[in-house]
Amino acid sequence: VTVLIDIGTLATCPPDAAAQGEIGLIERAALVWDDAGAIVWAGPEAGVPAAYADFPRESARGGLVVPGLVDCHTHLAFGGDRAGEFVARLRGADYLAQARQGGGIAATMRATRAATEDELLDGARSRLAAMLALGVTTVEAKTGYGLSLDAELKTLRVYEHLAADVPQRIVPTLLAAHTVPPEFADDRAAYVRLVCETIIPAAAGRAVFCDAFVEVGAFTADEAERVFAAGRSHGMTPKLHADQLSDTGGAALAARVGAASADHLEYVSEAGIAALAAAGTVAVSLPIATLVLGQEPLPARRLLDAGVPVAVATDFNPGSAPSLDLHLALWLACTRQRMTPAEALAAATSAAARALGLAGVVGSLVPGARADWVVLDAPDVDRWLYDFRPGRVRRVVISGRTVWPGP
Ligand code: NIG
Ligand code: FE
């Protein structure tokens, strides 16, 4: 057992809060975890139970302690980059037109297919190291730039290797239904069959979630439903890229198939919001992608007011969101989506954990949860997220063990 004392402010981010802004703040707090890396107690320092009096103590030196951050939507491993498309868009090119001309997801698909497993591994590993220094301790990671049996499985193997040798928890998601690859352009039904009958069965036991991009130019709701049914029968829970570029009824589809989350949602309708609320589906906001594509933000306040939990993630990918900075995403959630700093913190901890089916396991500092926590150089949550500034992270701990900075 170890006892952390001298916590200026502790945000426990309980998994069962009645409102997203209720983040369980405790001033002058202490946190206790056991040798297996699980939280056993959190509360005011003056109230540490006598049973823990004789165990070693560490000091947070007055810092803000929050749960390890959870990035619940990333496209972590891919080949190449799309700096050329980025610059072309600054000169007036259009994201969708680039995709129609063979760029976009298809360009990254070619580079990903051409990359060796080691090349993909090295790229993803260096990104995870940068995320760790930001306090990100759990990372969802999607495939979706392979779009063939071999290249999707290659990406899943990269995530398996990483899970075994980085400190973070990696949650793999199969996104074989990201776009129809060019070789199936004349027979999209055949690609949907390949996904359902070959790729999903081969990915069983390796991917926790099964994602689909439901959009004009990507997959229809009907096609996605077939993918989700196949995913379910192989143990994968649905997740969706929904209502990102137009209202395709993605939110309602997410609710109907019992998805763990509906992500993007810039074009979500009132009916979609109501459906998410009724089903208890988490909305995942990806404000870096919204910014990069020059879109209006999703209606976070309307979602929260309807009782929909709103998670915030980076969507890190080479096209629409080439930044892995979850702090930036949280700051954008505040400035562009009018989420309070407290709501934004919950969005990258307890709500993000829920979007990964890990509520109460990560993203919360409550008894039984993993002892994943971050010490920030800020007196409180409002002062952390109002003043967007690098270098705030002092220490990152996963399962009770300090993982950043290194020795
Ligand atoms: O989440 N929406 C679809 N997929 C990615 C972007 C893909 C890309 O541009 O490479 C997203 O925004
Ligand atoms: Fe995405």
Side-chain angles (χ1 to χ4, degrees):
V1 168
T2 308
V3 182
L4 181 72
I5 57 167
D6 297 328
I7 301 173
T9 304
L10 175 68
T12 60
C13 302
D16 47 6
Q20 185 152 337
E22 290 173 16
I23 54 170
L25 292 175
I26 306 169
E27 282 174 27
R28 285 178 294 285
L31 187 65
V32 184
W33 62 94
D34 65 18
D35 295 341
I39 300 292
V40 292
W41 191 84
E45 194 177 312
V48 176
Y52 305 127
D54 295 332
F55 288 103
R57 299 192 160 211
E58 296 178 8
S59 171
R61 294 186 289 123
L64 167 66
V65 173
V66 303
L69 303 180
V70 176
D71 194 340
C72 69
H73 182 139
T74 85
H75 304 251
L76 187 68
F78 52 81
D81 67 63
R82 305 231 297 274
E85 287 185 12
F86 176 75
V87 176
R89 286 200 304 278
L90 303 180
R91 298 206 160 103
D94 172 75
Y95 179 75
L96 281 175
Q98 288 178 326
R100 279 195 299 272
Q101 289 152 15
I105 296 170
T108 300
M109 175 206 77
R110 291 190 293 275
T112 302
R113 288 180 179 177
T116 65
E117 207 168 310
D118 280 341
E119 286 165 346
L120 294 180
L121 200 53
D122 287 348
R125 201 195 307 275
S126 83
R127 291 164 198 142
L128 285 168
M131 292 165 121
L132 192 67
L134 294 169
V136 177
T137 55
T138 299
V139 180
E140 188 258 13
K142 300 180 196 294
T143 69
Y145 290 117
L147 308 179
S148 67
L149 176 65
D150 283 358
E152 289 291 298
L153 290 181
K154 175 170 68 176
T155 313
L156 285 175
R157 282 196 303 275
V158 166
Y159 294 147
E160 260 162 35
H161 283 162
L162 289 168
D165 60 52
V166 301
Q168 285 112 321
R169 180 189 289 249
I170 308 293
V171 180
T173 294
L174 183 75
L175 176 59
H178 198 185
T179 194
V180 176
E183 64 272 24
F184 285 93
D186 297 328
D187 192 0
R188 46 186 304 120
Y191 184 66
V192 175
R193 279 199 306 277
L194 176 75
V195 171
C196 295
E197 293 166 18
T198 307
I199 302 181
I200 286 175
R206 303 176 144 184
V208 177
F209 295 102
C210 176
D211 198 337
F213 184 21
V214 179
E215 190 59 66
V216 180
F219 293 91
T220 65
D222 277 359
E223 290 166 338
E225 284 210 52
R226 263 176 277 153
V227 169
F228 294 142
R232 278 268 189 221
S233 71
H234 289 87
M236 298 170 212
T237 303
K239 257 185 185 295
L240 271 82
H241 281 70
D243 302 333
Q244 179 187 12
L245 306 171
S246 58
D247 175 14
T248 53
L253 172 62
R256 192 159 73 241
V257 300
S261 66
D263 303 35
H264 281 291
L265 299 174
E266 283 86 346
Y267 286 86
V268 68
S269 64
E270 282 306 321
I273 293 174
L276 293 175
T281 312
V282 179
V284 178
S285 171
L286 306 166
I288 297 174
T290 312
L291 178 72
V292 169
L293 299 185
Q295 297 179 296
E296 286 305 309
L298 92 177
R301 286 257 62 87
R302 294 210 319 267
L303 286 156
L304 289 168
D305 291 347
V308 178
V310 178
V312 170
T314 59
D315 193 22
F316 173 69
N317 75 68
S320 63
S323 168
L324 50 71
D325 192 330
L326 188 52
H327 298 200
L328 170 61
L330 296 183
W331 191 70
L332 290 171
C334 296
T335 53
R336 298 197 75 215
Q337 299 174 182
R338 294 178 44 234
M339 292 172 72
T340 65
E343 287 166 342
L345 173 61
T349 56
S350 50
R354 186 161 159 192
L356 296 181
L358 294 173
V361 179
V362 298
S364 297
L365 296 171
V366 296
R370 301 308 303 161
D372 296 358
W373 44 270
V374 181
V375 184
L376 295 159
D377 183 16
D380 56 42
V381 175
D382 290 352
R383 286 179 176 87
W384 169 42
L385 281 179
Y386 118 93
D387 160 10
F388 181 66
R389 175 184 116 181
R392 287 262 199 219
V393 177
R394 281 195 201 152
R395 180 176 170 193
V396 183
V397 171
I398 296 182
S399 292
R401 203 169 54 85
T402 299
V403 291
W404 191 90

